[in-house]
Amino acid sequence: MARKRVAVLISGRGSNMVALIEAAKQQSYPAEISLVISNEPEATGLVHAQSAGIATAAVDHRPFGKDRAAFERALHILLDDRKIEIVCLAGFMRLLTSWLVEQWSARMLNIHPALLPAFKGLDTHARAIAAGAKQHGATVHFVVPEMDSGPIVAQGAVPVLAADTEAALAARVLAVEHKIYPLALKLVAEGRVQIRDGQCVIDGIIRPNGVAPDFQ
Ligand code: GRF
């Protein structure tokens, strides 16, 4: 079966993007990373993508001012031109309008550094520590108009330790992110994930919390 053409949207260092690029180096992986787009022209992730030989584009949001629709049309045209089939948001720090989200309905994934539905939004690690959470982690989910919501494809948990700093917890979570994003993209690219009543059905089984990192 032809490998799915994937675009990764980033804003910064792009370590999740690198994890996806590494996974896609295997010929048996069902997706290829065909394009990386950053809204930050100086994003270090763009350099990594270029050195991996992947087409990149910088679409700076600033010249568009408050015209989010025009910014998103520019993104959409690029995605369309490159015949992208699945979009992976990976540290992409722009909220998307429902227009773009609807264009990519059931074909756009995001990774969030928390066990959704807990800790939507920013500063998830500090908030997990402050809340006394015993567990924390990361989630890959389909993107829907409401932020950090949408059917969950994969989730990985880590313990929160008594001595944890925000940085220590972030590093533990990031290691899980780098496992679950390639896993989730694989499942979606293989057509093994359906969405029913706002939940993922994976290999025919309803999985409200998605699958865990060791899922095959
Ligand atoms: C990750 O923690 C991701 O979960 C969040 O933004 C961060 C991006 O990191 N959405 P990187 O750019 O992939 O290294």
Side-chain angles (χ1 to χ4, degrees):
M1 205 163 60
R3 306 171 92 203
K4 296 283 187 210
R5 293 177 59 79
V6 172
V8 185
L9 272 55
I10 64 169
S11 298
R13 70 186 163 182
S15 72
N16 278 289
M17 173 208 74
V18 168
L20 294 173
I21 290 171
E22 287 300 314
K25 280 184 180 165
Q26 288 183 27
Q27 273 311 308
S28 60
Y29 195 76
E32 61 180 295
I33 310 305
S34 306
L35 177 64
V36 170
I37 304 177
S38 174
N39 66 302
E40 292 287 353
E42 304 301 325
T44 51
L46 283 177
V47 180
H48 292 306
Q50 282 155 7
S51 62
I54 292 168
T56 63
V59 184
D60 190 344
H61 58 282
R62 293 172 194 89
F64 295 94
K66 290 204 168 76
D67 194 350
R68 285 163 74 194
F71 170 65
E72 293 187 357
R73 276 198 302 275
L75 293 178
H76 189 61
I77 287 168
L78 268 176
L79 297 170
D80 223 35
D81 279 354
R82 299 283 178 151
K83 303 200 171 1
I84 297 303
E85 299 170 282
I86 300 171
V87 174
C88 291
L89 307 181
F92 185 66
M93 300 304 285
R94 305 301 298 169
L95 287 178
L96 298 176
T97 70
S98 47
W99 176 77
L100 191 66
V101 172
E102 300 299 346
Q103 302 304 309
W104 290 91
S105 176
R107 298 185 301 150
M108 182 184 273
L109 296 168
N110 180 46
I111 186 154
H112 181 74
L115 294 172
L116 291 172
F119 306 117
K120 297 179 180 183
L122 299 174
D123 299 324
T124 56
H125 309 308
R127 286 159 56 211
I129 292 171
K134 295 279 175 279
Q135 275 208 320
H136 188 45
T139 304
V140 179
H141 63 94
F142 284 105
V143 177
V144 296
E146 192 189 333
M147 185 188 69
D148 297 333
S149 302
I152 293 172
V153 184
Q155 230 173 26
V158 299
V160 182
L161 306 180
D164 261 342
T165 60
E166 189 181 343
L169 182 56
R172 197 175 306 123
V173 171
L174 195 63
V176 168
E177 294 186 37
H178 296 164
K179 288 187 185 150
I180 62 171
Y181 216 166
L183 168 64
L185 177 59
K186 174 178 182 282
L187 295 173
V188 172
E190 287 175 342
R192 292 163 65 185
V193 185
Q194 273 75 48
I195 300 171
R196 200 183 301 155
D197 299 332
Q199 295 183 332
C200 283
V201 178
I202 302 175
D203 292 341
I205 298 170
I206 303 171
R207 293 187 180 267
N209 301 317
V211 298
D214 54 0
F215 191 81
Q216 294 298 307

